[in-house]
Amino acid sequence: MRRREPADGRRGSSLAGLQIVNTRSRRQAGALDDCLAERGAVSIPYPCIEIVSPADLAPLETAVAQLADQAYDWVVFTSANAARAVSDVVRRRGAVSSLVDERATRVAAVGPGTAAAVQRLLGLPVALRSPVHTAEALAAELIAHGARRPLIPAAERAREALPRLLGEAGVDATVVTAYRTVTGAGGANLPLLLRSGTIDAIAFTSPSTVEGLAGRFAEEGGDWSLLASVCIGCIGPVTAEAARARGLEVAVEPRDYTINGLVGELESYFNSRIDRARQSGRRIP
């Protein structure tokens, strides 16, 4: 951990001056960048994913039209990307106000970030948000609320946990591809920065960011073993599982599966390192 002077001179946080890799897409990187900057950390851009439209938009367009016709009793958003994809279709249809009749169709979301995106992009009130921000918890909540025929706009090749659990409970869920995740590009030269020892941590916010880094890093000639020398932070258990499957040792996994939770846990991790250095009499980096 080579501590550098924060760009704005701020001190106080254990993250001040540290360089932390942001693996989110360019479109979504801002929230993590801002949260790190508030603590004086240097956010290093390395987009491991980008979000693009499905090859065939017709199924999503049909599902949105059926949603407006009250064909579903719930519409379930598992990511802000899904909300944005539906919003794009709605704007093209020019019928935002008639998307959902709240008396017939309710809205569910995983986590506060997704709920906020639904409200901001679609103007819809979120009737259900699971207390634990996982598909498994949301499935249990939907079942408890008597869902019968929910619509789930999701990523291509998304996790099957939510529709599987709903199906096992007799719920007739319709899953439609709303977007695709592809490998990102641009940003910093991460292989070079790791070789120079200037990276302190890498933050992963989804399993796709882990897979995207694995693919991109290999293509760019990176030395995978160097990842063992930095702190690996994952936003939640599903992302952590993907990282461990790639042989990474996860040092940070917050109980609050949000950007704020992840950055807060990174701060606690580096606080602990500083405390251990003080107790051992070593120089604090």
Side-chain angles (χ1 to χ4, degrees), residues 180-269:
R180 293 180 295 138
T181 301
V182 298
T183 303
N189 185 336
L190 183 59
L192 177 63
L193 291 175
L194 283 170
R195 286 197 296 272
S196 66
T198 59
I199 296 299
D200 299 291
I202 299 177
F204 292 109
T205 59
S206 67
S208 58
T209 59
V210 175
E211 297 307 316
L213 183 138
R216 182 177 175 185
F217 197 65
E219 289 175 2
E220 295 174 359
D223 181 352
W224 193 257
S225 68
L226 292 178
L227 295 174
S229 65
V230 301
C231 168
I232 300 297
C234 295
I235 199 167
V238 177
T239 303
E241 180 182 355
R244 292 186 181 105
R246 284 286 182 176
L248 299 176
E249 182 177 344
V250 177
V252 169
E253 184 182 336
R255 294 181 180 178
D256 175 17
Y257 313 151
T258 64
I259 295 296
N260 284 333
L262 174 58
V263 174
E265 197 64 24
L266 282 167
E267 192 170 36
S268 296
Y269 170 83

Side-chain angles (χ1 to χ4, degrees), residues 7 32 39 77:
L32 180 54
R39 291 164 169 83
F77 293 97

Side-chain angles (χ1 to χ4, degrees), residues 35-54:
C35 205
L36 290 170
E38 288 172 1
R39 291 164 169 83
V42 180
S43 183
I44 304 298
Y46 189 68
C48 293
I49 60 171
E50 288 299 338
I51 307 302
V52 299
S53 298

